[in-house]
Every structure is written in C-alpha cells, then in structure tokens.
Amino acid sequence: MPPVFRFAPSPNGYLHLGHAYSALRNADLARQSGGRLLLRIEDIDATRCRPEFEAAIYDDLAWLGVDWEQPVRRQSQHLAVYREALDRLTALGLVYPSFESRAEIVRMVAQRESSGAWPRDPDGAPLYPGTAKTLSASARERLLASGAPYALRLDMAAALARAGALDWHEQGAGPGGEAGVVVAQPQAWGDVILARKDTPTSYHLAVVVDDALQGITDVVRGADLFWATSVHRLLQCLLDLPAPRYRHHALIRDAAGSKLSKSTRATGLRELRAAGLTPGDIRRQLGLAASPQSG
Ligand code: GLU
C-alpha cells in the first residue's frame, strides 16, 4: 500500500512561507515514496474561516506546484461523523460539560495561583481546574436545561485509566530534538475541550477522525503541533483508530526569529508572488531541493 500524506490548512487567513514549507515537504515525500497526497480544509471554526481564504489556498498551492488528489475533504461537511465519535466517547463515560466562560476560568485559576503555581498546558494556557466535573447530576441537568453555553471536555483521568501508556513513532524532530519512539503525555493538557454546545467537534477530535477515515499513514506538520500528538494518540486509542507515523518539522521563522503569522504580509505567499518571486525561488528560500514542477 502506498503511503498517504495530507496537508490540512485552516482557511482563516492567507498562506505564508510556513504553510508552503509544510505543503511542499508533504508533496515531496509523497512523490519520493510513490505515495498519495490529500488536501483537507479544516474549516470547523465558522467564525474565522472564509470562502476567499479557501479559494486562495487552492490557488497558492497550485502555483507552488503542489499536486493533490480530488475530492478535497472539507471538515464543515462532515460534522455528523465527528458527533458520532463524540457520542462514542460520551457512551464510555469520558465526556462532561463545563459551563464556565473563558473569563471565569482565568479568574478561578488566578485564585488558585495565589497559593502556588498552577499547571499550564504545552501551549502555555492554564489547565482547566475540573470544577464542572464535580457538579451533581441535577445541577448539571439544570444548567443544560437553562440553555447556558458549554464546552464538552474529556475526563483526562478516566481516559488515561482506560488507555494506559501510549507512544508514537516520530520521524522528525520535536521541540527537544526527539526522534524515534516518543512517550505520549496527554495528561499535560488536562481536560481538553472536545466540542462546544454549537460545534460537535474540536480540532483534536476532527483531526484524528479524519486522519483515520482518509487512511493517512504519515502526518507531516509543524513542530508547534508536536505535543498535540499526545492528545491525538489518546483519542485514537479510545476510538480504536490506527496511529499514523508522525514527522514534525521545524517552524519557519521571520528575520526576528518569531513564528510566522497569517497577518504578516512580508512572508505571505500572495505578496511574494506579486513581488515577482517564482515557486523555485520559494523552494530555495525554504532550503528545499529544486523539483521538476517548480520554475
Ligand atoms: N489545521 C491545522 C493548522 O492549520 C493543522 C492540522 C494538522 O496538520 O494536524 O494549523
């Protein structure tokens, strides 16, 4: 079976050099291994995703010389599939609703921090204190019936007890230079959000469901998602889904050493193209060998 790669951008802005690097690495690896390259549009966040950004993704990738299979999977068209996965986790007793707003969580954490450091997740956000987990069944029912907004969270302690120890096969290099077998540490994320009242999935849930449904064998993406892989491995285990191989690559940074942002024009592919750069120039700038498709 040929390996199956995917590039999975979110259409919430224009692509920059970092996306180009990820897309081209996937395309090169697929070509070199006689594999396939799929494109997935991760557009579950309806408030931030826009059709013009999606159109620009197709345009920029085609210009770069990236060749992907049709049809493209658009996550917003598959919400029922994610809901089904969520229902399975709920049936296992691993999901609970939390009703605090972000501001309330910040306040709760600040109170706890007055008596010592409070743990943060690998992205630097304070862990959810788990308060809603201890609500009585009747209090929970009352809140749900009131129509209050809520987030559905994974009960991490229960999920870990069910899954046991997990690891993944890393072919790239993580933030600490890890390659080989990496021990997953999903507990570092606490009770992660799996869905919200009006959205039946989060990034973490959709990505594992889709990688499995699309038969992805090799996930190649930026090192900023290295530790998210711990959560992905946990969800794969709980949902009986296969684990792909992972290759996290170093992030492309700007001249000041900062992570690129979709709003910085200096590294936007549209701007570089308008300034007269060719796809071959982009590959050279990214340190990628010339390809037959690039000019
Ligand atoms: N949609 C994610 C992003 O644009 C990437 C997801 C992934 O590669 O797993 O950052």
Side-chain angles (χ1 to χ4, degrees):
M1 287 288 277
V4 186
F5 295 81
R6 85 321 191 257
F7 178 57
S10 299
N12 54 13
Y14 292 111
L15 300 188
H16 55 56
L17 281 175
H19 299 106
Y21 185 72
S22 223
L24 289 168
R25 285 296 306 273
N26 272 289
D28 289 359
L29 285 162
R31 198 173 48 243
Q32 286 155 15
S33 60
R36 302 164 53 200
L37 175 63
L38 309 184
L39 178 61
R40 183 163 78 223
I41 299 293
E42 302 211 322
D43 60 347
I44 47 178
D45 183 352
T47 58
R48 295 175 65 218
C49 294
R50 300 222 302 257
E52 61 267 36
F53 293 137
E54 184 178 333
I57 287 173
Y58 302 134
D59 189 46
D60 289 342
L61 291 179
W63 174 74
L64 274 176
V66 173
D67 206 4
W68 64 91
E69 281 181 22
Q70 298 292 341
V72 169
R73 185 174 176 89
R74 299 172 71 234
Q75 289 188 326
S76 58
Q77 295 175 328
H78 300 278
L79 297 184
V81 180
Y82 311 131
R83 188 180 296 278
E84 210 176 285
L86 182 67
D87 289 347
R88 282 183 61 190
L89 296 172
T90 305
L92 292 173
L94 301 177
V95 180
Y96 69 92
S98 70
F99 301 88
E100 299 92 344
S101 66
R102 283 193 183 87
E104 276 166 335
I105 294 175
V106 167
R107 257 199 315 277
M108 277 163 25
V109 166
Q111 263 166 22
R112 284 167 172 74
E113 275 183 326
S114 63
S115 53
W118 185 255
R120 308 215 154 225
D121 72 23
D123 285 346
L127 297 198
Y128 175 66
T131 26
K133 202 163 111 173
T134 57
L135 283 175
S136 67
S138 60
R140 193 170 283 165
E141 283 315 312
R142 230 182 1 261
L143 282 161
L144 286 172
S146 76
Y150 58 84
L152 292 170
R153 293 181 181 271
L154 182 68
D155 181 338
M156 185 56 78
L160 289 172
R162 189 178 173 92
L166 294 165
D167 53 32
W168 78 84
H169 190 69
E170 175 65 41
Q171 298 182 310
E178 299 88 342
V181 176
V182 180
V183 176
Q185 295 169 42
Q187 66 278 9
W189 294 93
D191 291 356
V192 285
I193 293 179
L194 295 178
R196 292 186 186 275
K197 185 182 176 199
D198 301 313
T199 317
T201 185
S202 64
Y203 156 68
H204 293 309
L205 186 60
V207 87
V208 300
V209 168
D210 281 351
D211 283 341
L213 269 174
Q214 295 190 288
I216 304 299
T217 59
D218 291 81
V219 171
V220 178
R221 61 186 178 191
D224 51 342
L225 291 169
F226 185 85
W227 285 117
T229 310
S230 289
V231 177
H232 301 171
R233 287 292 300 115
L234 178 60
L235 293 176
Q236 285 157 0
C237 172
L238 298 171
L239 292 165
D240 294 319
L241 303 175
R245 292 180 287 262
Y246 288 89
R247 183 187 293 268
H248 293 91
H249 59 70
L251 296 181
I252 302 296
R253 301 194 174 268
D254 66 14
S258 306
K259 200 173 143 180
L260 302 186
S261 136
K262 278 181 169 151
S263 53
T264 315
R265 305 189 86 85
T267 49
L269 290 182
R270 321 230 97 194
E271 282 77 12
L272 295 170
R273 181 174 167 185
L277 268 74
T278 67
D281 294 331
I282 302 283
R283 290 189 70 100
R284 266 189 297 283
Q285 195 168 331
L286 293 170
L288 294 167
S291 98
Q293 282 119 311
S294 64

